[in-house]
Amino acid sequence: MPQREYIPRDYTVVQENGQAPSSASTDVTLVSADGDSPFKFTFEALRPGLFRTSFSSKTHPLPPHPSTPRPAPNLGGTTVTSKSSESHKTINLGGVTATVDWSGPPLVSLQLHGQTTPIHRDLEFRSYVADATGIAHYTRYKRDTLHVGLGEKAAPMNLSNRNFILSVTDCFGYDIYRTDPLYKHIPLLINATPEGCVGIFSTSHSRGTYAVGSEIDGLWGHFKVYRQDYGGLEEYLMVGKTIQDVVRIYADLVGYPLLVPRWAFGYIAGGMKYSMLDEPRASDALMEFAAKLKKHDIPCSAFQMSSGYTVAETEPKTRNVFTWNRHRFPDPEGFVAKYHEEGIRIIANVKPYVLANHPEYPKLVASGALFTDPRTKQSGVARLWSAGGGESGEGGHIDFTSEAGFNWWYEGVKALRKCGIEGIWNDNNEYTIPDDDWQCALDGRPSEFGSHVGLWGRSLHTELMGKSSHDALIELEPDVRPFVLTRSATAGTMRYAASSWAGDNVTSWDGMKGANSLSLNAGISLIQCYGHDIGGFEGPQPTPELLLRWIQLGIHSQRFAINCFKTDENDNTIGGVIEPWMYPEITPLIRNAIKRRYELIPYLYSLMLESHLTALAPQRWIGWGYESDPEVWTPEVMAGETQYWLGDTILVGGVYEPGNSTARMYLPKNDEGYLNLNAPHQHFAGGQWVEIDSPWQGSIPLLARVGGGIVVGKDLQTRSAGDHRFPSPNAVEDDYRAVEIFPAQGSGSCTWYEDDGISARPNISKFTLTYSSSEEISVGLKIAGEYVPAWKELDIILPVGEKRSVVNCKKKTNSRGREVFTFVF
């Protein structure tokens, strides 16, 4: 793109919170005197660790719909000191020294108390830059450190020394190590070092780029540069000792992850083929799928129903959102009810565009529900995915700033919910509009800066689509937490969508390995109920070994879904599917893995509640909490490709090559070490690299932190305590709990959270099992909160080989070679 950089240099103070420049204010406002259009620069301390900067002019307005509202300052109880001079201001608060120097272009630096160098500093002489219709922000780059975030970017996890497009696209069959952009537009970049961390977040929905040390110049040295195509800059700077400190401040700013219904943590099935069938009818094929689940004794909680249910019955057979193909689904309500009887919820695919042959296309055009092309003064026409792989037709995207468009979508979602569908799958919502100049309706929004989609941002509509789907579900069931699954996302989208995934990945060993990096960066970016299409969405069918390995890995993530569209050169409208029983020789092993997933749901669900309350990601980089261990800052560990923490107790590894039966893992330094949860069940000291045996027909590498524990339940589908709407014989009462503990000499604990699994405003109880161990083990349980679970006693499960007794408990029959005791309270 053309580069037209202009750097305003001559700034004067115009106001500091209405006070004199020398007063103890915590903000700076500057205006440039050079150039035709003065630029305004502001800096403000908002809360401990949180600062806001802006850089704008009449020609470069601030984001008209920022992805988060501006928070009010809240420095109550914080000791603040401030010192000003003619071109310099220093603010000390909350353990951070913030400095603004405007002797030339403004320079902001942030330094943690006790440190000798800033954790963040703008680039001298080139900090805040106007560039044609947009801006650029240059900052110093710290080499050999960790950069994370940006929502969802290609592996590895460490974003250092790389360049990224800040946009989204429908990247069907992407390369997990090379494709950019992917599906998320979240301009949050965190630089983590052993000394501390700083995050920078832009609120704009405009497209842009981020060069994270990938550009080097002999004059300017090593730098990062955020470039934004349109408008002025609004950024938030967040400072903390750890990544979690910064993520918590970020969550305070943009919102915490939403509550997720408990049923969404089970096995979610899918596959485009089923809803595309005419003979047998799709509804019959799906009932046959449910029968096979029962035959193979594989529990399943939900089914992602692809958009084949909306395909027109007559030519041209395109996908028409909010319609039903009555040949494939003669009785939609009856079909959904039958799936409910099987204990399976439906998550229905919806796409935010209409083809020209959609029955309501003329009505939508006439009502202004679509974008306007300024060249024709008519509804904007784009090529849109219509039928099979790579097939397209002409139509238009829904403009969610249009009252007519927003409401049409809202009513369509309500109709699906009234049909019994519980989950809304916002798909193909990347808004790949071909022209920045297309006009938004902006009903009820200010338009003094124009209405073109370049400034307002394509991704704004991803956010508003999420809001429309979310609010429609809330209207019908205000006391039930809504479930919106979104493929594309912004920071604002996740205030309305409970879950997301990595889109249309490819079947490959590298695809499985690189997925770990995407999950970790998504979690840091507050997309914390996140996962991947197990086995790969596109590409060849996985081999038995790859499929089993991927399922073994996938059950240890927040979202466990098997969904695919394997294109076929002979018929790309239906595609192949991955089914748990597709390889009979490993079906028992897959069944065992999925049943283990169901055992883990209390642990996974508790991690979700903790995420909702504290913004702590369920899947974490292995340096999380171990920042004092020098090894976690080495390139191999910072890559984040091969292992991660699931909660604070289970260290998950993987095997990422065919025929390999060992894995190399790093065990962060701690006092008590780790237990291998698979044979030979040995103990390892922390602070070392180890080789773990991992035959593919056994398990992936799994280690437990000694001194911890994980809560588990039944190995089949259970009914959420608060959800009585869809009784099914396949969903039993959730009346069993156990804690798998990993005792050392001394004390240990395990804390988890529970609620009724469905309420929009639940009572959440906290359970803490404490144990002490020497020659024998004794346990105790503390409960805080109003929620009372169905289980009335607690099994204590010891590791394989542990022969000590639990003294205040009753001995039970062994489970999988492990001693089990019952604690009655």
Side-chain angles (χ1 to χ4, degrees), residues 65 67 168 185 205-206 351-353 368-372 397-403 405-406 409 426-433 435-436 438-443 445 451-469 486 488-490 492-493 496:
H65 184 104
S67 56
V168 293
H185 183 158
H205 289 99
S206 173
K351 306 180 189 300
Y353 56 76
L370 310 181
F371 294 90
T372 298
H397 284 89
I398 303 297
D399 175 2
F400 279 92
T401 72
S402 158
E403 184 177 355
F406 188 96
W409 189 268
N426 284 5
D427 199 13
N428 297 82
N429 52 346
E430 292 76 32
Y431 272 81
T432 52
I433 292 171
D435 190 341
D436 287 346
W438 276 20
Q439 305 295 301
C440 304
L442 301 183
D443 293 340
R445 291 175 172 82
S451 59
H452 65 92
V453 75
L455 174 65
W456 287 82
R458 292 160 175 80
S459 292
L460 164 63
H461 300 271
T462 304
E463 175 185 316
L464 296 179
M465 177 191 182
K467 176 175 171 56
S468 185
S469 296
T486 187
S488 187
T490 66
T493 306
Y496 309 110

Side-chain angles (χ1 to χ4, degrees), residues 658-691:
N660 193 0
S661 60
T662 61
R664 184 171 183 262
M665 295 180 66
Y666 181 68
L667 312 183
K669 191 176 296 183
N670 67 6
D671 293 332
E672 301 293 349
Y674 302 83
L675 286 178
N676 186 355
L677 296 185
N678 301 307
H681 302 286
Q682 70 269 53
H683 175 272
F684 293 104
Q688 64 169 327
W689 288 91
V690 295
E691 292 283 335

Side-chain angles (χ1 to χ4, degrees), residues 462-575:
T462 304
E463 175 185 316
L464 296 179
M465 177 191 182
K467 176 175 171 56
S468 185
S469 296
H470 170 275
D471 291 359
L473 296 176
I474 289 288
E475 180 185 329
L476 290 176
E477 289 187 298
D479 296 327
V480 173
R481 64 190 72 165
F483 184 76
V484 176
L485 171 67
T486 187
R487 188 169 78 176
S488 187
T490 66
T493 306
M494 301 315 293
R495 291 194 287 272
Y496 309 110
S499 184
S500 186
W501 85 108
D504 299 343
N505 60 346
V506 171
T507 300
S508 70
W509 288 88
D510 273 352
M512 176 175 63
K513 177 183 177 183
N516 296 326
S517 298
L518 271 65
S519 294
L520 295 175
N521 273 325
I524 288 166
S525 306
L526 293 184
I527 308 174
Q528 295 188 347
C529 183
Y530 180 87
H532 307 267
D533 286 337
I534 303 300
F537 185 82
E538 161 63 335
Q541 289 285 12
T543 64
E545 182 184 7
L546 176 56
L547 178 60
L548 182 57
R549 286 291 196 199
W550 212 326
I551 288 174
Q552 292 166 346
L553 184 66
I555 65 170
H556 296 95
S557 64
Q558 284 298 91
R559 170 179 158 80
F560 176 65
I562 302 176
N563 180 51
C564 70
F565 175 55
K566 302 296 186 185
T567 51
D568 185 332
E569 61 183 13
N570 298 315
D571 182 359
N572 71 351
T573 63
I574 295 179

Side-chain angles (χ1 to χ4, degrees), residues 678-743:
N678 301 307
H681 302 286
Q682 70 269 53
H683 175 272
F684 293 104
Q688 64 169 327
W689 288 91
V690 295
E691 292 283 335
I692 306 293
D693 289 333
S694 179
W696 73 274
Q697 292 180 322
S699 171
I700 59 169
L702 297 168
L703 291 98
R705 176 182 58 82
V706 173
I710 64 171
V711 60
V712 296
K714 293 181 176 178
D715 69 352
L716 40 74
Q717 187 177 356
T718 57
R719 182 184 63 80
S720 296
D723 195 358
H724 304 278
R725 298 170 300 162
F726 310 112
S728 166
N730 294 340
V732 301
E733 291 301 311
D734 184 29
D735 56 4
Y736 172 79
R737 283 294 179 276
V739 178
E740 299 176 358
I741 65 172
F742 312 103

